[in-house]
Amino acid sequence: MPHTIAEIAQALGLRAEGALDLAITHAAEPAQAGRDALAMAMDPKYAAGLAQGQAQAAILWDGADWQALGLKAAVFAPRPRWAMAGISELLDPGYDFGAGIHPQSFIHPSARVADGACIGPFTSIGARAVIGPNARIAPNVTVAEDVVIGADVILHAGARIGARVRIGDRFIGQPNCVVGGCGFSFVTPEPSGAEDVRASLSGERQVRAQKWHRIQSLGAVRIGDDVELGANSSIDRGTIRDTVIGSGTKIDSVCQIGHNVQMGEDCMMCGMAGVAGSARIGNRVLLAGKVAVNDNIFVGDDAIVGGASRVFTNVPAGRAVLGDPATKLETQLEIRKIIRRLPRLVANVAKLQDAVFGPDRKG
Amino acid sequence: MPHTIAEIAQALGLRAEGALDLAITHAAEPAQAGRDALAMAMDPKYAAGLAQGQAQAAILWDGADWQALGLKAAVFAPRPRWAMAGISELLDPGYDFGAGIHPQSFIHPSARVADGACIGPFTSIGARAVIGPNARIAPNVTVAEDVVIGADVILHAGARIGARVRIGDRFIGQPNCVVGGCGFSFVTPEPSGAEDVRASLSGERQVRAQKWHRIQSLGAVRIGDDVELGANSSIDRGTIRDTVIGSGTKIDSVCQIGHNVQMGEDCMMCGMAGVAGSARIGNRVLLAGKVAVNDNIFVGDDAIVGGASRVFTNVPAGRAVLGDPATKLETQLEIRKIIRRLPRLVANVAKLQDAVFGPDRKG
Amino acid sequence: MPHTIAEIAQALGLRAEGALDLAITHAAEPAQAGRDALAMAMDPKYAAGLAQGQAQAAILWDGADWQALGLKAAVFAPRPRWAMAGISELLDPGYDFGAGIHPQSFIHPSARVADGACIGPFTSIGARAVIGPNARIAPNVTVAEDVVIGADVILHAGARIGARVRIGDRFIGQPNCVVGGCGFSFVTPEPSGAEDVRASLSGERQVRAQKWHRIQSLGAVRIGDDVELGANSSIDRGTIRDTVIGSGTKIDSVCQIGHNVQMGEDCMMCGMAGVAGSARIGNRVLLAGKVAVNDNIFVGDDAIVGGASRVFTNVPAGRAVLGDPATKLETQLEIRKIIRRLPRLVANVAKLQDAVFGPDRKG
């Protein structure tokens, strides 16, 4: 669907110049943009790309000289990523969830699906499940018994929502995500080797036979509003209480959240990050890609955990941490610098030993 | 279903005191517990929670003064997590797998499903598959051709069991788990760059074109009794022999086990851990969360691999290891302490250089 | 199906000796091989296994004395893994995708599925999807609207191919893999805490409320020929342009590839590796197991990233890197050696301090 530059500028609340009635049909990278495209060129580094492509209109960085760039019209974006949110929303083709409830789906007679739902083939809705208005549910999805989901949910293909899970409004479940697998909680009749090591912090312990008995998950998962869960990511149910994910929290693909975790609001958890059982994560916490958070610790509000860090101890509110094991960001950056220079340090110590003890007395 | 305190104590083999005929309907955390709940308060730290909640009965730590805590009845748990296994089993509401074989499922005419099976809608059972008594199989599950599964299996929604896989009794497959994807095994006609680097342990090598040819997986996966596989976890099939998982081994969510791996009995593999191809893992091994085990190495019986460790070399039986690369636990703890103090070490060396060589002769 | 030794040698282009008309029915490890098996004994270390087993024929290392090993026939493999590719192809029993299009599948009337397709029960093919000749699609697969897939595709159970994704010929999707989940791309109206930290590289920043707004994924995923994607692995769609995977690239299980990633040809990405958004990966790059590649960086052609490395900065073409953070392989090996010896270094510095400053003047 074509949009004029004027429409786009108005929708995004941005300033535009030039041929405001020029119409574009889609967005494109500057170098690949054809004459019908709106080129995404929000940084001076894209100027060369604009020259390669054929765009007549672009979203530009603040202060760009659109006429010198050979354009007929331009929209100016002082905060590029924010403009990207607006323009991608405007131009999003969306997904096709079919019309209504597909005859090859299964909806348990006791389930209640509110008006406006699209439900794809081979999707199963369990007993007593309740799904709010305007649900868009892809093919091959499973919603188990006694699940409660709010309005405007999107469940992509292969999403699994386990028994008794409760989810707020506007949840987006990416393909093959899982909410409500059982918690990974086992116990041996006698203390296990791992318990010995945790207690002693040494490798010394008695080796003995151990059979694992299952602790059942009596809790489920409770998710707030505006949460998103990535492809092939998993949130386990709680043991006694529910595992909780606060409103506004976004979770990327191939992530794992263990049983009993309490995660706050507006967090961001990037790809392949994991939070182990019973950890507590505050509000607005950022866990970067591949991060690991140990079980039973807490990460305070507004903490930022850098890429691939392993967090073994509590992180105070507001702190940025990095590394394995994670430390304060500044400390870790200093440590990394020293480690890179260790060969020089070793050489310097050897020189000192030569000077102080003579070549024969290094040891 | 309500249970009296006397019933609970008897079922768990624990001592109880107070109003033994008091009935509870479910378990709860102390602070959230209502009058019908059994509060889980197995540690003195929960005393405050009991005061906040309204529980009349609780499971308490050994020696607790239940009357002073305002309770009418109490059960005493000398080993709290073991009591948790018992109480969670007693109170588990379980999952609804429907009744019998759903008309919207597909069972190949040559498959044999033993009596007592519940099979959900959109579940497919392949040719010649054999499934033991009392199977509980959720919707949207795939069991491929020639699979053999024992008694009392639970397969949650989206579980995939690949061709020729053999599984013992009481297997639990969490949502979207995969048993029997193809092994990741490829070869170039001429030695590849990676082979050169492995051989020389240096970055020096000849760069050349390389096309990957597939080595087919002629083996499958063989799993013992009482094994559990977590949500979105994957076990690949073997090349010539089967990949093997021993009885009693528990595998958490978002884990990966490569082709040809031989894993022993009663192991525990926590969230996001991975074992690369052809590694051998002994019995009763603990792999903590996010652990990586290199291909073609072995980890001996009763070894414990600490959180997020990367194991590049063999681990002897009974050893506790930690770190990246993993070392003996005690060594790693010492190394980590030294690393935290590296800035001080650097400063001390600088002072020595000043003293020995004078400020101009640092180099 | 039995094969004679002569047939096998001819199919593999290898030299054989002994009873060339001897027939074998399958391949086996030497120690487990029965009289009908071809023992895989391509290295002298398997000689003992041959003695344990009952094989009459084997594939042996170059120069092996097959008669002394008690065999009746032998094939010689100068490059064992290459021979394995050939023999596994020859003996592969393959998978049963049924015959034709299963009546319990759903194919949108506007989809076009070319001749020769096998499509399993509960598989859904969306509107306007185009699938090339000889597709073999398992049960419980989802192909969304406007997908285009080439010839000879294999999609295992639970594979999800998202809207508008384009895939070349001979693609293999393992169970529960996902192509085309939404990109993980969000923005706050004002700069977020993470942006502050990235800008300042320090933990100092202003803490403030932040709500995440979604940047829609207007792009899809474009995959070349001969690509394989592992079980429970995920490739996200791009924001403006497509995420791209080049021909010949093989991706293992439980991997993740973020939005906008451009990955070249003939790469190999091992289990649990992840590439964050907008990273560019060259041709013939090897990412070993558990590797993490940061967002927005590039890894040059023929680079080799060693096991569990975390790549935070660009990697030049041809380089082998290792570690967290990743450095040149040789540098990392030296650093690791020094780290193992840090306790001795600390002791040596203490001795120097004693000698230079006396026991009282360490600080």
Side-chain angles (χ1 to χ4, degrees):
Chain A
M1 198 179 69
H3 300 266
T4 66
I5 297 301
E7 282 167 19
I8 290 169
Q10 188 178 7
L12 274 63
L14 295 176
R15 192 170 55 84
E17 290 184 8
L20 299 188
D21 57 347
L22 193 74
I24 61 92
T25 62
H26 64 285
E29 307 241 322
Q32 282 82 46
R35 295 175 59 82
D36 294 341
L38 180 68
M40 301 285 103
M42 292 129 162
D43 188 284
K45 73 181 172 190
Y46 293 117
L50 280 173
Q52 286 175 257
Q54 300 186 298
Q56 303 186 95
I59 305 198
L60 297 177
W61 62 98
D62 230 14
D65 181 347
W66 58 276
Q67 284 161 315
L69 290 164
L71 298 168
K72 294 196 174 157
V75 180
F76 297 92
R79 180 157 164 76
R81 280 178 66 79
W82 182 243
M84 191 72 97
I87 194 74
S88 71
E89 183 67 35
L90 193 69
L91 300 177
D92 184 20
Y95 301 100
D96 177 2
F97 291 93
I101 295 174
H102 196 278
Q104 282 166 284
S105 65
F106 170 74
I107 300 182
H108 194 280
S110 64
R112 285 186 288 134
V113 177
D115 289 347
C118 300
I119 296 185
F122 317 127
T123 283
S124 169
I125 311 289
R128 297 170 302 280
V130 177
I131 298 181
N134 301 314
R136 286 167 286 169
I137 305 186
N140 301 105
V141 168
T142 314
V143 176
E145 70 271 17
D146 298 303
V147 165
V148 178
I149 301 182
D152 302 309
V153 68
I154 294 177
L155 296 178
H156 286 282
R160 313 291 167 205
I161 312 295
R164 300 179 287 278
V165 166
R166 288 173 289 160
I167 300 180
D169 295 339
R170 293 173 299 280
F171 177 77
I172 299 177
Q174 295 292 339
N176 286 348
C177 70
V178 174
V179 182
C182 294
F184 191 70
S185 194
F186 297 89
V187 62
T188 51
E190 302 299 316
S192 69
E195 289 176 79
D196 288 0
V197 168
R198 279 210 177 194
S200 72
L201 270 187
S202 101
E204 295 298 318
R205 69 212 152 75
Q206 214 183 325
V207 166
R208 62 175 86 79
Q210 50 189 25
K211 287 278 172 197
W212 297 108
H213 292 255
R214 197 166 202 273
I215 297 177
Q216 304 291 342
S217 297
L218 305 182
V221 180
R222 202 168 70 240
I223 294 180
D225 296 329
D226 298 298
V227 170
E228 179 158 349
L229 182 62
N232 283 320
S233 288
S234 165
I235 304 174
D236 288 352
R237 54 180 65 236
T239 307
I240 300 296
R241 62 172 186 256
D242 290 340
T243 303
V244 175
I245 308 294
S247 290
T249 285
K250 313 296 185 186
I251 301 167
D252 199 354
S253 304
V254 193
C255 288
Q256 198 240 343
I257 295 182
H259 62 282
N260 299 340
V261 166
Q262 311 288 302
M263 184 173 274
E265 301 191 349
D266 298 319
C267 293
M268 176 157 286
M269 181 167 173
C270 300
M272 305 191 107
V275 177
S278 299
R280 286 164 293 140
I281 310 291
N283 298 312
R284 298 171 303 279
V285 169
L286 173 72
L287 305 177
K290 283 262 186 187
V291 158
V293 176
N294 209 9
D295 59 283
N296 285 289
I297 63 173
F298 77 81
V299 177
D301 291 349
D302 302 292
I304 293 179
V305 182
S309 299
R310 280 73 180 81
V311 184
F312 288 94
T313 53
N314 294 335
V315 176
R319 180 161 293 179
V321 300
L322 183 68
D324 173 15
T327 65
K328 281 181 72 170
L329 175 63
E330 299 89 327
T331 307
Q332 189 63 216
L333 293 176
E334 189 187 0
I335 286 173
R336 290 186 175 187
K337 199 192 303 178
I338 293 173
I339 285 178
R340 278 197 306 274
R341 295 176 183 169
L342 274 180
R344 196 194 302 175
L345 186 71
V346 169
N348 285 341
V349 170
K351 278 188 211 165
L352 282 164
Q353 290 176 303
D354 282 351
V356 173
F357 300 125
D360 302 338
R361 300 184 52 199
K362 271 198 180 178
Chain B
M1 200 179 68
H3 300 266
T4 66
I5 297 301
E7 282 167 19
I8 290 169
Q10 188 176 7
L12 275 62
L14 294 176
R15 190 171 56 84
E17 290 185 7
L20 300 187
D21 57 347
L22 193 74
I24 61 91
T25 62
H26 64 284
E29 307 242 321
Q32 281 82 47
R35 294 175 58 84
D36 295 341
L38 179 69
M40 301 285 103
M42 292 130 163
D43 187 285
K45 73 181 172 191
Y46 292 117
L50 280 173
Q52 286 176 257
Q54 300 186 299
Q56 302 186 94
I59 305 198
L60 298 177
W61 62 98
D62 231 13
D65 181 347
W66 58 276
Q67 283 161 314
L69 289 164
L71 298 167
K72 294 195 174 158
V75 180
F76 296 92
R79 180 157 164 74
R81 279 178 66 80
W82 182 242
M84 190 72 97
I87 194 76
S88 72
E89 182 67 35
L90 193 70
L91 299 177
D92 184 20
Y95 301 99
D96 177 2
F97 291 94
I101 295 174
H102 197 278
Q104 282 166 284
S105 65
F106 170 74
I107 299 182
H108 193 281
S110 63
R112 286 187 288 133
V113 178
D115 289 348
C118 299
I119 296 185
F122 317 127
T123 283
S124 169
I125 311 291
R128 298 170 302 279
V130 177
I131 298 181
N134 302 313
R136 286 167 286 169
I137 305 186
N140 302 105
V141 168
T142 313
V143 176
E145 70 271 16
D146 298 303
V147 166
V148 178
I149 302 182
D152 302 309
V153 68
I154 293 177
L155 296 178
H156 286 282
R160 312 291 167 205
I161 312 297
R164 301 179 287 279
V165 166
R166 287 174 291 161
I167 300 180
D169 295 338
R170 294 173 299 281
F171 177 77
I172 300 177
Q174 295 294 338
N176 285 350
C177 71
V178 174
V179 182
C182 294
F184 190 70
S185 195
F186 296 88
V187 61
T188 51
E190 302 298 317
S192 69
E195 289 176 79
D196 288 0
V197 168
R198 279 211 176 192
S200 71
L201 271 188
S202 99
E204 295 299 317
R205 70 212 150 76
Q206 214 184 326
V207 166
R208 63 175 85 79
Q210 50 190 25
K211 286 280 171 196
W212 297 108
H213 292 254
R214 199 166 200 272
I215 296 177
Q216 304 291 341
S217 297
L218 305 182
V221 181
R222 202 169 70 240
I223 294 180
D225 296 328
D226 299 298
V227 170
E228 178 157 349
L229 182 61
N232 284 321
S233 287
S234 165
I235 304 175
D236 287 353
R237 54 180 65 235
T239 307
I240 299 295
R241 63 173 185 256
D242 290 340
T243 301
V244 175
I245 309 293
S247 290
T249 286
K250 314 295 185 186
I251 302 167
D252 198 355
S253 306
V254 193
C255 287
Q256 198 240 344
I257 294 182
H259 61 282
N260 298 339
V261 166
Q262 311 288 302
M263 184 173 273
E265 301 192 349
D266 299 319
C267 294
M268 175 156 287
M269 182 166 172
C270 300
M272 305 192 108
V275 177
S278 299
R280 287 164 294 140
I281 310 290
N283 299 312
R284 298 171 303 279
V285 169
L286 173 72
L287 305 178
K290 283 261 185 188
V291 158
V293 176
N294 209 11
D295 59 284
N296 286 288
I297 63 174
F298 78 80
V299 178
D301 291 348
D302 302 292
I304 293 180
V305 182
S309 299
R310 279 75 179 81
V311 184
F312 288 94
T313 53
N314 294 335
V315 177
R319 180 161 294 177
V321 300
L322 182 69
D324 173 16
T327 66
K328 282 182 71 170
L329 176 63
E330 299 90 327
T331 308
Q332 188 64 216
L333 293 176
E334 189 187 0
I335 286 173
R336 289 186 176 187
K337 198 193 302 177
I338 294 173
I339 285 177
R340 279 198 304 273
R341 294 175 184 169
L342 275 180
R344 196 194 302 176
L345 185 72
V346 169
N348 286 340
V349 171
K351 277 188 211 164
L352 283 164
Q353 290 177 301
D354 283 350
V356 173
F357 300 124
D360 302 338
R361 299 184 53 198
K362 272 198 179 178
Chain C
M1 199 179 67
H3 299 266
T4 66
I5 298 301
E7 281 166 20
I8 290 169
Q10 189 178 5
L12 274 63
L14 294 176
R15 190 172 55 86
E17 289 185 8
L20 299 188
D21 57 347
L22 193 74
I24 61 93
T25 62
H26 64 285
E29 307 242 322
Q32 281 83 48
R35 294 174 60 81
D36 295 342
L38 181 69
M40 300 286 103
M42 291 129 161
D43 188 285
K45 72 180 174 192
Y46 292 117
L50 279 173
Q52 286 175 256
Q54 301 186 298
Q56 303 186 95
I59 304 198
L60 297 178
W61 64 99
D62 230 13
D65 181 348
W66 58 277
Q67 283 160 317
L69 289 164
L71 298 166
K72 296 197 173 156
V75 180
F76 297 92
R79 180 157 164 75
R81 280 178 66 79
W82 181 243
M84 190 72 98
I87 194 74
S88 71
E89 183 67 35
L90 194 69
L91 300 177
D92 184 20
Y95 301 100
D96 177 3
F97 291 94
I101 295 175
H102 196 278
Q104 282 167 284
S105 65
F106 169 74
I107 300 182
H108 194 280
S110 63
R112 286 187 287 134
V113 178
D115 289 349
C118 300
I119 296 185
F122 317 127
T123 284
S124 169
I125 311 289
R128 297 169 304 279
V130 177
I131 298 181
N134 302 314
R136 285 168 286 169
I137 305 186
N140 301 105
V141 168
T142 313
V143 176
E145 70 271 17
D146 297 303
V147 165
V148 178
I149 301 183
D152 303 309
V153 68
I154 294 178
L155 296 178
H156 287 282
R160 313 290 166 205
I161 312 296
R164 299 179 289 278
V165 166
R166 286 174 291 161
I167 300 181
D169 295 339
R170 295 173 298 281
F171 177 77
I172 300 177
Q174 295 292 339
N176 286 348
C177 70
V178 174
V179 181
C182 295
F184 191 69
S185 194
F186 296 90
V187 62
T188 51
E190 302 299 316
S192 69
E195 289 176 78
D196 288 0
V197 169
R198 280 209 176 194
S200 72
L201 271 187
S202 100
E204 295 300 317
R205 71 213 149 75
Q206 213 184 326
V207 167
R208 62 175 86 80
Q210 50 190 26
K211 287 280 172 196
W212 297 107
H213 291 254
R214 198 165 199 273
I215 296 177
Q216 305 292 340
S217 296
L218 304 182
V221 181
R222 202 170 70 240
I223 293 180
D225 296 329
D226 299 298
V227 170
E228 178 157 349
L229 181 62
N232 284 320
S233 287
S234 164
I235 304 174
D236 288 352
R237 55 181 64 236
T239 307
I240 299 295
R241 62 172 186 258
D242 289 340
T243 301
V244 175
I245 308 294
S247 290
T249 285
K250 314 295 185 184
I251 302 167
D252 198 354
S253 305
V254 193
C255 287
Q256 198 240 344
I257 295 182
H259 61 282
N260 298 341
V261 166
Q262 311 288 302
M263 184 173 274
E265 301 192 347
D266 298 320
C267 293
M268 174 156 287
M269 182 167 172
C270 299
M272 306 192 107
V275 177
S278 300
R280 286 164 293 141
I281 310 291
N283 299 313
R284 298 171 303 280
V285 169
L286 173 72
L287 305 178
K290 283 260 185 190
V291 158
V293 176
N294 209 11
D295 58 285
N296 285 289
I297 63 174
F298 77 82
V299 178
D301 290 349
D302 302 292
I304 293 181
V305 181
S309 299
R310 279 76 179 80
V311 184
F312 288 94
T313 52
N314 294 335
V315 177
R319 180 161 293 178
V321 300
L322 183 70
D324 174 15
T327 66
K328 281 181 72 170
L329 176 63
E330 299 89 327
T331 308
Q332 188 63 216
L333 294 175
E334 189 187 1
I335 286 173
R336 289 186 176 187
K337 199 193 302 178
I338 294 174
I339 285 177
R340 278 197 306 275
R341 295 176 182 169
L342 274 180
R344 195 193 304 175
L345 185 72
V346 168
N348 286 341
V349 171
K351 277 188 213 163
L352 282 165
Q353 290 177 304
D354 283 350
V356 173
F357 300 125
D360 303 338
R361 299 183 52 199
K362 272 197 179 177

